[in-house]
Amino acid sequence: MDETVKKIITYLFLIFLLIALSGLYVVEINLRDWRADELRPHYEYTVKISGLSGTEVLGTTKILVPIPATKEGVFAITPSQEEPSFFKSLLQEHVFHTPEKYIRGIYFENTTESLDNKSLNGNWTTSIVNIKHGPMLEFRTNESVLADISFSKIVVLEQMNNEDPINENSPILYPIASEASLVEEDYQYFRLMSRVITYETYIEMSDNINSKAIKFDISLEVYPDVTERDGEKGTYKNKLDVVVAESGEFKKNATIETYF
């Protein structure tokens, strides 16, 4: 084999190696950029209201529940859609022929887009409303026979703080109707493992609901990036679990359990 052939083989090998390494780089970047929402900093907001099914009513029925927001009533910031770097864009467009919508990057729905104007079973419709206490999530229907409510959404977060979510602008079940108070702290080997605090928030039901017992099971679970998690460490869980036996506006206790 003469020197010319050896050089050609070497150059071809180097070109192949460069393409392979570039491909692995793009794959790794894409796996991170397009990973599931559950692997990013995010919250999982769930509303379950039972005891409504089969209840006969007249007129429009409205139920208002706490919504994920900071203690000032501001919705959490979601990551913006990022433009790719020149090198990444060049590789994806001209080498790997990636469709344009995937080159630009993923788009994340914010709280308003995720929670507002959604249709549920039983002809319930969601709406973000601003009342005297601030924003809340309203469920509304014109049906004469009610159905139970089950609603759940995941929203990706730009940032979160599990150590002091109320005072560090992390989402909680808003509004806050009272000062937060410490319930308990759990230590293991002199290390703080978890903390539970409680505060009052609001729920409201229209006066056409005459059911004897309506159960509200509302939760907001907030998680950091998967690379920063160790079991439940770094997370916090905000819950409101009550039974209401009459219509109107009520203050009810919610809890936040933080894991360190």
Side-chain angles (χ1 to χ4, degrees), residues 120-137:
L120 286 67
N121 289 336
N123 286 327
W124 290 100
T125 301
T126 66
S127 179
I128 296 175
V129 296
N130 281 289
I131 62 171
K132 60 184 178 181
H133 306 303
M136 296 185 73
L137 186 65

Side-chain angles (χ1 to χ4, degrees), residues 32-52:
R32 178 169 179 80
D33 288 351
W34 291 90
R35 68 193 189 278
D37 291 349
E38 293 87 344
L39 304 180
R40 306 170 185 270
H42 71 280
Y43 70 66
E44 299 177 10
Y45 174 59
T46 302
V47 178
K48 294 182 179 180
I49 305 175
S50 57
L52 295 169

Side-chain angles (χ1 to χ4, degrees), residues 34 50 96 199 202 209 217 221 231 260:
W34 291 90
S50 57
F96 299 101
Y199 66 94
Y202 294 99
I209 302 176
D217 184 3
E221 299 185 0
F260 297 93

Side-chain angles (χ1 to χ4, degrees), residues 129-188:
V129 296
N130 281 289
I131 62 171
K132 60 184 178 181
H133 306 303
M136 296 185 73
L137 186 65
E138 177 187 82
F139 295 91
R140 177 190 293 255
T141 185
N142 291 317
E143 291 293 309
S144 59
V145 179
L146 301 181
D148 289 344
I149 294 172
S150 181
F151 179 70
S152 183
K153 287 291 182 178
I154 292 178
V155 174
V156 176
L157 301 173
E158 179 70 34
Q159 60 183 11
M160 51 85 71
N161 183 296
N162 77 302
E163 295 186 3
D164 189 6
I166 290 181
N167 296 312
E168 294 296 335
N169 293 320
S170 282
I172 58 171
L173 292 175
Y174 177 92
I176 296 181
S178 68
E179 292 293 327
S181 58
L182 178 65
V183 176
E184 65 175 294
E185 291 184 330
D186 178 33
Y187 287 84
Q188 291 185 14

